[in-house]
Amino acid sequence: MEAVNMREMPPSRALTDFLYRKASHLRIPLSGTFELSPVCNFSCRMCYVRKTREEVRNSPRKIMTLEDWLRIAREAREEGMLYLLLTGGEPLLWPDFWTLYDALIDMGFLISINTNGSLIDEAAIAHFRKKPPQRINITLYGAGDGTYQNLCGIRGVFTKVDAAIRGLKEAGVTVKLNCSLTPENAADLDWIIDYAQARDVVVSVATYMFPPVRRDPERFGVNERFTPEESAAYLMRYLRRDRGEEAYQHYLKGILDGFVEPPGLDESCVDPVDGQIRCRAGKASFWITWDGWLTPCGMMPEPKVDLKTEPFAGAWKALTELAAGLRLSGVCDKCANKDICHPCAAIAYAETGSSSGIPTYMCRATREMCRVARETLGSEM
Ligand code: SF4
Ligand code: SF4
């Protein structure tokens, strides 16, 4: 594994990494995600969580209330939570969003928000200007209304998302773009990278789509997504365009040397490998679902602890013990490509139904990356 050179890191990143290392070691819940609602005004084909209002109403578990979230925020702050991501569905559709947001800002959390951007109007921008979050992550799905209609089933929103990105930037709010790339919007990839670069905004493109097993437990290993080989090809194309030729060549060399950073997953997915779970989930970070389950990460419906009956401190302790018991497949553990592939318990679970299964989708994608690296560098040597 590559050593981290602290002198080359921006001070804020070095501090964050230091805090996470400490927190992982001491099992402090430094970072949390509040999934406020699974309801969304988009209906993206590959979404892992989306539900309709009616499905939420008919669910045996009720959606968490403002009071529930405020209680949990207070309790989690006592246990060490500093970083907080608000997500959904579309979090701005949750009825008490602004009341909760203001209270959480006043409690001193460093807040990020995941949103599709379509509901960020002038009033929202003014609010964020006055009480800025640490960052707003906007998912940009494509180059115009046509792509949004095909992929997200919604008409006429591209202009609103574009205006939100511009308005937030002008208001001095930090914006990052996320893009979930699928066959429906693959043709827009170059445009998306150019759009981000023209606005001096970071864009992170994910070409791996988790099977939506939280939405439909029958869908292990299935999603509306690329073949593994296409997923690898588009990931490499994104890295080449986004990072430039020199960094791309360095990445290819990393593949041949057997280690590259895992691009495209969530930011919790980064701690060093220890043969158990390959990230901060259940060690220093957690996720709370809209109906009150505490889980290691949003891609993993299990293990889970009920926050409707347990206070946060006890639930977190129970979760760390359950997460410590997660084991990847012995095949992955011994695989020569594991530090290129970066399999994790959530991927294994979503692909196979077991966190110790072998996610063969990743095996194929990784083989393709190795093939491209060998061919490209071989032809240039
Ligand atoms: S379990 Fe996987 S998806 Fe979840 S935070 Fe860890 S590396 Fe990321
Ligand atoms: S998923 Fe496949 S390529 Fe990845 S570590 Fe496991 S066995 Fe290796």
Side-chain angles (χ1 to χ4, degrees):
M1 175 148 323
E2 276 178 351
V4 177
N5 183 347
M6 302 292 277
R7 272 172 302 187
E8 287 178 3
M9 276 186 178
S12 59
R13 162 91 197 275
L15 176 64
T16 305
D17 280 12
F18 171 78
L19 289 177
Y20 270 114
R21 264 200 304 280
K22 272 273 184 220
S24 291
H25 183 64
L26 298 171
R27 299 292 190 268
I28 292 169
L30 182 65
S31 158
T33 299
F34 289 3
E35 179 189 273
L36 299 179
S37 164
V39 175
C40 189
N41 52 335
F42 291 15
S43 43
C44 301
R45 290 161 177 249
M46 65 296 174
C47 180
Y48 64 92
V49 66
R50 184 182 186 278
K51 289 193 185 303
T52 62
R53 283 200 167 85
E54 199 188 352
E55 285 169 325
V56 171
R57 256 196 313 276
N58 295 336
S59 165
R61 282 178 70 89
K62 294 299 154 215
I63 190 164
M64 298 268 278
T65 63
L66 175 64
E67 290 68 35
D68 290 333
W69 287 119
L70 288 172
R71 170 185 65 82
I72 288 169
R74 281 192 292 270
E75 292 177 3
R77 189 175 59 169
E78 288 294 304
E79 299 304 308
M81 182 169 79
L82 172 63
Y83 301 105
L84 175 56
L85 172 67
L86 302 178
T87 189
E90 172 47 52
L92 278 94
L93 272 181
W94 187 63
D96 292 316
F97 176 84
W98 291 108
T99 312
L100 179 65
Y101 177 77
D102 287 350
L104 295 171
I105 285 277
D106 292 346
M107 288 166 85
F109 296 119
L110 298 177
I111 296 176
S112 303
I113 300 167
N114 280 356
T115 169
N116 62 36
S118 65
L119 303 171
I120 300 183
D121 55 14
E122 282 182 18
I125 290 169
H127 200 121
F128 286 133
R129 184 201 298 268
K130 220 162 53 196
K131 293 192 171 192
Q134 195 184 32
R135 193 173 73 199
I136 298 189
N137 306 312
I138 295 185
T139 309
L140 184 64
Y141 288 98
D145 283 338
T147 309
Y148 272 81
Q149 196 169 327
N150 288 338
L151 183 65
C152 312
I154 183 146
R155 288 170 189 269
V157 293
F158 173 77
T159 321
K160 290 183 189 162
V161 177
D162 179 43
I165 294 167
R166 290 164 190 269
L168 288 168
K169 283 280 292 173
E170 279 163 23
V173 177
T174 304
V175 175
K176 179 184 167 218
L177 301 181
N178 290 327
C179 172
S180 302
L181 204 69
T182 79
E184 293 293 337
N185 61 349
D188 293 357
L189 175 61
D190 290 345
W191 182 92
I192 288 169
I193 295 168
D194 290 343
Y195 176 95
Q197 289 179 348
R199 281 153 192 80
D200 197 22
V201 176
V202 172
V203 61
S204 171
V205 174
T207 62
Y208 171 69
M209 296 298 118
F210 279 85
V213 293
R214 283 186 53 194
R215 224 173 62 196
D216 180 354
E218 302 293 300
R219 291 188 63 183
F220 289 111
V222 180
N223 201 349
E224 301 203 22
R225 59 181 179 177
F226 293 127
T227 65
E229 290 74 20
E230 289 167 343
S231 166
Y234 277 108
L235 175 65
M236 295 173 95
R237 181 163 154 189
Y238 150 64
L239 292 173
R240 188 174 206 163
R241 280 286 326 269
D242 188 62
R243 298 189 185 171
E245 198 56 36
E246 200 182 323
Y248 179 65
Q249 296 293 322
H250 183 74
Y251 183 78
L252 295 180
K253 286 196 183 77
I255 291 175
L256 295 189
D257 291 343
F259 178 83
V260 289
E261 298 275 348
L265 289 179
D266 185 85
E267 282 165 16
S268 296
C269 311
V270 292
D271 261 7
V273 180
D274 63 4
Q276 297 177 7
I277 185 170
R278 307 194 60 159
C279 59
R280 300 161 177 163
K283 287 179 182 163
S285 67
F286 63 87
W287 186 291
I288 302 172
T289 64
W290 60 272
D291 54 354
W293 292 111
L294 177 69
T295 66
C297 100
M299 305 301 148
M300 294 171 74
E302 306 277 350
K304 62 184 180 186
V305 184
D306 194 350
L307 276 174
K308 291 198 168 177
T309 54
E310 281 274 331
F312 181 84
W316 168 251
K317 188 164 184 304
L319 187 76
T320 58
E321 286 162 8
L322 290 167
L326 291 171
R327 291 285 181 278
L328 293 178
S329 152
V331 175
C332 290
D333 223 22
K334 292 190 182 64
C335 175
N337 287 338
K338 71 176 178 183
D339 292 333
I340 305 166
C341 167
H342 301 286
C344 75
I347 291 176
Y349 181 83
E351 294 293 338
T352 71
S354 161
S355 58
S356 57
I358 304 171
T360 53
Y361 184 101
M362 303 307 282
C363 302
R364 283 176 54 187
T366 306
R367 272 200 297 274
E368 178 66 8
M369 288 165 66
C370 293
R371 186 192 68 74
V372 172
R374 269 196 311 274
E375 278 191 4
T376 312
L377 291 183
S379 66
E380 288 174 5
M381 279 173 183

mmCIF file with all atom_site columns, all heavy atoms in Angstrom, residues 276-289:
data_model
loop_
_atom_site.group_PDB
_atom_site.id
_atom_site.type_symbol
_atom_site.label_atom_id
_atom_site.label_alt_id
_atom_site.label_comp_id
_atom_site.label_asym_id
_atom_site.label_entity_id
_atom_site.label_seq_id
_atom_site.pdbx_PDB_ins_code
_atom_site.Cartn_x
_atom_site.Cartn_y
_atom_site.Cartn_z
_atom_site.occupancy
_atom_site.B_iso_or_equiv
_atom_site.pdbx_formal_charge
_atom_site.auth_seq_id
_atom_site.auth_comp_id
_atom_site.auth_asym_id
_atom_site.auth_atom_id
_atom_site.pdbx_PDB_model_num
ATOM 1   N N   . GLN A 1 276 ? -11.035 -7.125 7.299  1.00 0.00 ? 276 GLN A N   1
ATOM 2   C CA  . GLN A 1 276 ? -12.420 -7.193 7.764  1.00 0.00 ? 276 GLN A CA  1
ATOM 3   C C   . GLN A 1 276 ? -13.272 -6.338 6.822  1.00 0.00 ? 276 GLN A C   1
ATOM 4   O O   . GLN A 1 276 ? -13.482 -6.694 5.693  1.00 0.00 ? 276 GLN A O   1
ATOM 5   C CB  . GLN A 1 276 ? -12.508 -6.703 9.208  1.00 0.00 ? 276 GLN A CB  1
ATOM 6   C CG  . GLN A 1 276 ? -11.691 -7.602 10.143 1.00 0.00 ? 276 GLN A CG  1
ATOM 7   C CD  . GLN A 1 276 ? -11.711 -7.102 11.562 1.00 0.00 ? 276 GLN A CD  1
ATOM 8   O OE1 . GLN A 1 276 ? -12.417 -6.176 11.898 1.00 0.00 ? 276 GLN A OE1 1
ATOM 9   N NE2 . GLN A 1 276 ? -10.924 -7.728 12.409 1.00 0.00 ? 276 GLN A NE2 1
ATOM 10  N N   . ILE A 1 277 ? -13.699 -5.186 7.260  1.00 0.00 ? 277 ILE A N   1
ATOM 11  C CA  . ILE A 1 277 ? -14.469 -4.308 6.383  1.00 0.00 ? 277 ILE A CA  1
ATOM 12  C C   . ILE A 1 277 ? -13.505 -3.209 5.942  1.00 0.00 ? 277 ILE A C   1
ATOM 13  O O   . ILE A 1 277 ? -12.701 -2.727 6.726  1.00 0.00 ? 277 ILE A O   1
ATOM 14  C CB  . ILE A 1 277 ? -15.706 -3.786 7.118  1.00 0.00 ? 277 ILE A CB  1
ATOM 15  C CG1 . ILE A 1 277 ? -16.563 -2.969 6.188  1.00 0.00 ? 277 ILE A CG1 1
ATOM 16  C CG2 . ILE A 1 277 ? -15.363 -3.011 8.345  1.00 0.00 ? 277 ILE A CG2 1
ATOM 17  C CD1 . ILE A 1 277 ? -17.921 -2.648 6.824  1.00 0.00 ? 277 ILE A CD1 1
ATOM 18  N N   . ARG A 1 278 ? -13.545 -2.837 4.662  1.00 0.00 ? 278 ARG A N   1
ATOM 19  C CA  . ARG A 1 278 ? -12.447 -2.076 4.106  1.00 0.00 ? 278 ARG A CA  1
ATOM 20  C C   . ARG A 1 278 ? -12.689 -0.577 4.131  1.00 0.00 ? 278 ARG A C   1
ATOM 21  O O   . ARG A 1 278 ? -12.423 0.116  3.177  1.00 0.00 ? 278 ARG A O   1
ATOM 22  C CB  . ARG A 1 278 ? -12.222 -2.521 2.670  1.00 0.00 ? 278 ARG A CB  1
ATOM 23  C CG  . ARG A 1 278 ? -12.060 -4.007 2.564  1.00 0.00 ? 278 ARG A CG  1
ATOM 24  C CD  . ARG A 1 278 ? -11.528 -4.373 1.237  1.00 0.00 ? 278 ARG A CD  1
ATOM 25  N NE  . ARG A 1 278 ? -10.239 -3.743 1.048  1.00 0.00 ? 278 ARG A NE  1
ATOM 26  C CZ  . ARG A 1 278 ? -9.355  -4.160 0.180  1.00 0.00 ? 278 ARG A CZ  1
ATOM 27  N NH1 . ARG A 1 278 ? -9.593  -5.191 -0.567 1.00 0.00 ? 278 ARG A NH1 1
ATOM 28  N NH2 . ARG A 1 278 ? -8.212  -3.539 0.047  1.00 0.00 ? 278 ARG A NH2 1
ATOM 29  N N   . CYS A 1 279 ? -13.204 -0.062 5.193  1.00 0.00 ? 279 CYS A N   1
ATOM 30  C CA  . CYS A 1 279 ? -13.561 1.345  5.179  1.00 0.00 ? 279 CYS A CA  1
ATOM 31  C C   . CYS A 1 279 ? -13.844 1.798  6.599  1.00 0.00 ? 279 CYS A C   1
ATOM 32  O O   . CYS A 1 279 ? -13.609 1.078  7.556  1.00 0.00 ? 279 CYS A O   1
ATOM 33  C CB  . CYS A 1 279 ? -14.791 1.520  4.315  1.00 0.00 ? 279 CYS A CB  1
ATOM 34  S SG  . CYS A 1 279 ? -16.152 0.546  4.942  1.00 0.00 ? 279 CYS A SG  1
ATOM 35  N N   . ARG A 1 280 ? -14.398 2.976  6.710  1.00 0.00 ? 280 ARG A N   1
ATOM 36  C CA  . ARG A 1 280 ? -14.697 3.544  8.028  1.00 0.00 ? 280 ARG A CA  1
ATOM 37  C C   . ARG A 1 280 ? -16.037 3.070  8.572  1.00 0.00 ? 280 ARG A C   1
ATOM 38  O O   . ARG A 1 280 ? -16.381 3.344  9.707  1.00 0.00 ? 280 ARG A O   1
ATOM 39  C CB  . ARG A 1 280 ? -14.764 5.062  7.916  1.00 0.00 ? 280 ARG A CB  1
ATOM 40  C CG  . ARG A 1 280 ? -13.493 5.671  7.429  1.00 0.00 ? 280 ARG A CG  1
ATOM 41  C CD  . ARG A 1 280 ? -13.769 7.068  6.909  1.00 0.00 ? 280 ARG A CD  1
ATOM 42  N NE  . ARG A 1 280 ? -12.531 7.711  6.500  1.00 0.00 ? 280 ARG A NE  1
ATOM 43  C CZ  . ARG A 1 280 ? -12.474 8.769  5.734  1.00 0.00 ? 280 ARG A CZ  1
ATOM 44  N NH1 . ARG A 1 280 ? -13.583 9.321  5.285  1.00 0.00 ? 280 ARG A NH1 1
ATOM 45  N NH2 . ARG A 1 280 ? -11.313 9.292  5.411  1.00 0.00 ? 280 ARG A NH2 1
ATOM 46  N N   . ALA A 1 281 ? -16.818 2.413  7.713  1.00 0.00 ? 281 ALA A N   1
ATOM 47  C CA  . ALA A 1 281 ? -18.192 2.065  8.097  1.00 0.00 ? 281 ALA A CA  1
ATOM 48  C C   . ALA A 1 281 ? -18.204 1.152  9.317  1.00 0.00 ? 281 ALA A C   1
ATOM 49  O O   . ALA A 1 281 ? -17.557 0.116  9.335  1.00 0.00 ? 281 ALA A O   1
ATOM 50  C CB  . ALA A 1 281 ? -18.885 1.372  6.925  1.00 0.00 ? 281 ALA A CB  1
ATOM 51  N N   . GLY A 1 282 ? -18.942 1.562  10.340 1.00 0.00 ? 282 GLY A N   1
ATOM 52  C CA  . GLY A 1 282 ? -19.023 0.752  11.554 1.00 0.00 ? 282 GLY A CA  1
ATOM 53  C C   . GLY A 1 282 ? -17.802 0.880  12.445 1.00 0.00 ? 282 GLY A C   1
ATOM 54  O O   . GLY A 1 282 ? -17.727 0.231  13.490 1.00 0.00 ? 282 GLY A O   1
ATOM 55  N N   . LYS A 1 283 ? -16.839 1.717  12.025 1.00 0.00 ? 283 LYS A N   1
ATOM 56  C CA  . LYS A 1 283 ? -15.661 1.981  12.872 1.00 0.00 ? 283 LYS A CA  1
ATOM 57  C C   . LYS A 1 283 ? -15.643 3.442  13.288 1.00 0.00 ? 283 LYS A C   1
ATOM 58  O O   . LYS A 1 283 ? -15.417 3.771  14.447 1.00 0.00 ? 283 LYS A O   1
ATOM 59  C CB  . LYS A 1 283 ? -14.371 1.704  12.098 1.00 0.00 ? 283 LYS A CB  1
ATOM 60  C CG  . LYS A 1 283 ? -14.077 0.255  11.871 1.00 0.00 ? 283 LYS A CG  1
ATOM 61  C CD  . LYS A 1 283 ? -12.783 0.159  11.088 1.00 0.00 ? 283 LYS A CD  1
ATOM 62  C CE  . LYS A 1 283 ? -12.450 -1.276 10.773 1.00 0.00 ? 283 LYS A CE  1
ATOM 63  N NZ  . LYS A 1 283 ? -11.455 -1.363 9.705  1.00 0.00 ? 283 LYS A NZ  1
ATOM 64  N N   . ALA A 1 284 ? -15.808 4.325  12.302 1.00 0.00 ? 284 ALA A N   1
ATOM 65  C CA  . ALA A 1 284 ? -15.818 5.759  12.587 1.00 0.00 ? 284 ALA A CA  1
ATOM 66  C C   . ALA A 1 284 ? -16.985 6.450  11.888 1.00 0.00 ? 284 ALA A C   1
ATOM 67  O O   . ALA A 1 284 ? -17.148 7.654  12.013 1.00 0.00 ? 284 ALA A O   1
ATOM 68  C CB  . ALA A 1 284 ? -14.508 6.392  12.134 1.00 0.00 ? 284 ALA A CB  1
ATOM 69  N N   . SER A 1 285 ? -17.743 5.698  11.114 1.00 0.00 ? 285 SER A N   1
ATOM 70  C CA  . SER A 1 285 ? -18.871 6.326  10.421 1.00 0.00 ? 285 SER A CA  1
ATOM 71  C C   . SER A 1 285 ? -20.084 5.411  10.445 1.00 0.00 ? 285 SER A C   1
ATOM 72  O O   . SER A 1 285 ? -19.959 4.188  10.607 1.00 0.00 ? 285 SER A O   1
ATOM 73  C CB  . SER A 1 285 ? -18.499 6.698  8.985  1.00 0.00 ? 285 SER A CB  1
ATOM 74  O OG  . SER A 1 285 ? -18.283 5.548  8.219  1.00 0.00 ? 285 SER A OG  1
ATOM 75  N N   . PHE A 1 286 ? -21.238 6.028  10.282 1.00 0.00 ? 286 PHE A N   1
ATOM 76  C CA  . PHE A 1 286 ? -22.499 5.271  10.339 1.00 0.00 ? 286 PHE A CA  1
ATOM 77  C C   . PHE A 1 286 ? -23.508 5.927  9.420  1.00 0.00 ? 286 PHE A C   1
ATOM 78  O O   . PHE A 1 286 ? -23.314 7.035  8.918  1.00 0.00 ? 286 PHE A O   1
ATOM 79  C CB  . PHE A 1 286 ? -23.040 5.226  11.780 1.00 0.00 ? 286 PHE A CB  1
ATOM 80  C CG  . PHE A 1 286 ? -23.381 6.588  12.332 1.00 0.00 ? 286 PHE A CG  1
ATOM 81  C CD1 . PHE A 1 286 ? -24.632 7.155  12.115 1.00 0.00 ? 286 PHE A CD1 1
ATOM 82  C CD2 . PHE A 1 286 ? -22.444 7.316  13.058 1.00 0.00 ? 286 PHE A CD2 1
ATOM 83  C CE1 . PHE A 1 286 ? -24.942 8.419  12.611 1.00 0.00 ? 286 PHE A CE1 1
ATOM 84  C CE2 . PHE A 1 286 ? -22.745 8.576  13.560 1.00 0.00 ? 286 PHE A CE2 1
ATOM 85  C CZ  . PHE A 1 286 ? -23.992 9.129  13.331 1.00 0.00 ? 286 PHE A CZ  1
ATOM 86  N N   . TRP A 1 287 ? -24.604 5.201  9.236  1.00 0.00 ? 287 TRP A N   1
ATOM 87  C CA  . TRP A 1 287 ? -25.702 5.667  8.377  1.00 0.00 ? 287 TRP A CA  1
ATOM 88  C C   . TRP A 1 287 ? -26.995 5.389  9.121  1.00 0.00 ? 287 TRP A C   1
ATOM 89  O O   . TRP A 1 287 ? -27.132 4.331  9.751  1.00 0.00 ? 287 TRP A O   1
ATOM 90  C CB  . TRP A 1 287 ? -25.662 4.863  7.074  1.00 0.00 ? 287 TRP A CB  1
ATOM 91  C CG  . TRP A 1 287 ? -26.613 5.268  5.997  1.00 0.00 ? 287 TRP A CG  1
ATOM 92  C CD1 . TRP A 1 287 ? -27.970 5.148  5.990  1.00 0.00 ? 287 TRP A CD1 1
ATOM 93  C CD2 . TRP A 1 287 ? -26.259 5.816  4.716  1.00 0.00 ? 287 TRP A CD2 1
ATOM 94  N NE1 . TRP A 1 287 ? -28.492 5.595  4.797  1.00 0.00 ? 287 TRP A NE1 1
ATOM 95  C CE2 . TRP A 1 287 ? -27.457 6.001  3.996  1.00 0.00 ? 287 TRP A CE2 1
ATOM 96  C CE3 . TRP A 1 287 ? -25.054 6.157  4.106  1.00 0.00 ? 287 TRP A CE3 1
ATOM 97  C CZ2 . TRP A 1 287 ? -27.486 6.515  2.700  1.00 0.00 ? 287 TRP A CZ2 1
ATOM 98  C CZ3 . TRP A 1 287 ? -25.081 6.666  2.821  1.00 0.00 ? 287 TRP A CZ3 1
ATOM 99  C CH2 . TRP A 1 287 ? -26.286 6.852  2.123  1.00 0.00 ? 287 TRP A CH2 1
ATOM 100 N N   . ILE A 1 288 ? -27.925 6.325  9.097  1.00 0.00 ? 288 ILE A N   1
ATOM 101 C CA  . ILE A 1 288 ? -29.235 6.070  9.706  1.00 0.00 ? 288 ILE A CA  1
ATOM 102 C C   . ILE A 1 288 ? -30.296 6.177  8.618  1.00 0.00 ? 288 ILE A C   1
ATOM 103 O O   . ILE A 1 288 ? -30.394 7.193  7.919  1.00 0.00 ? 288 ILE A O   1
ATOM 104 C CB  . ILE A 1 288 ? -29.534 7.061  10.851 1.00 0.00 ? 288 ILE A CB  1
ATOM 105 C CG1 . ILE A 1 288 ? -28.436 6.953  11.919 1.00 0.00 ? 288 ILE A CG1 1
ATOM 106 C CG2 . ILE A 1 288 ? -30.902 6.767  11.461 1.00 0.00 ? 288 ILE A CG2 1
ATOM 107 C CD1 . ILE A 1 288 ? -28.525 8.008  13.001 1.00 0.00 ? 288 ILE A CD1 1
ATOM 108 N N   . THR A 1 289 ? -31.055 5.108  8.451  1.00 0.00 ? 289 THR A N   1
ATOM 109 C CA  . THR A 1 289 ? -32.064 5.094  7.395  1.00 0.00 ? 289 THR A CA  1
ATOM 110 C C   . THR A 1 289 ? -33.274 5.941  7.784  1.00 0.00 ? 289 THR A C   1
ATOM 111 O O   . THR A 1 289 ? -33.484 6.250  8.962  1.00 0.00 ? 289 THR A O   1
ATOM 112 C CB  . THR A 1 289 ? -32.538 3.653  7.114  1.00 0.00 ? 289 THR A CB  1
ATOM 113 O OG1 . THR A 1 289 ? -33.184 3.158  8.291  1.00 0.00 ? 289 THR A OG1 1
ATOM 114 C CG2 . THR A 1 289 ? -31.372 2.743  6.757  1.00 0.00 ? 289 THR A CG2 1
#
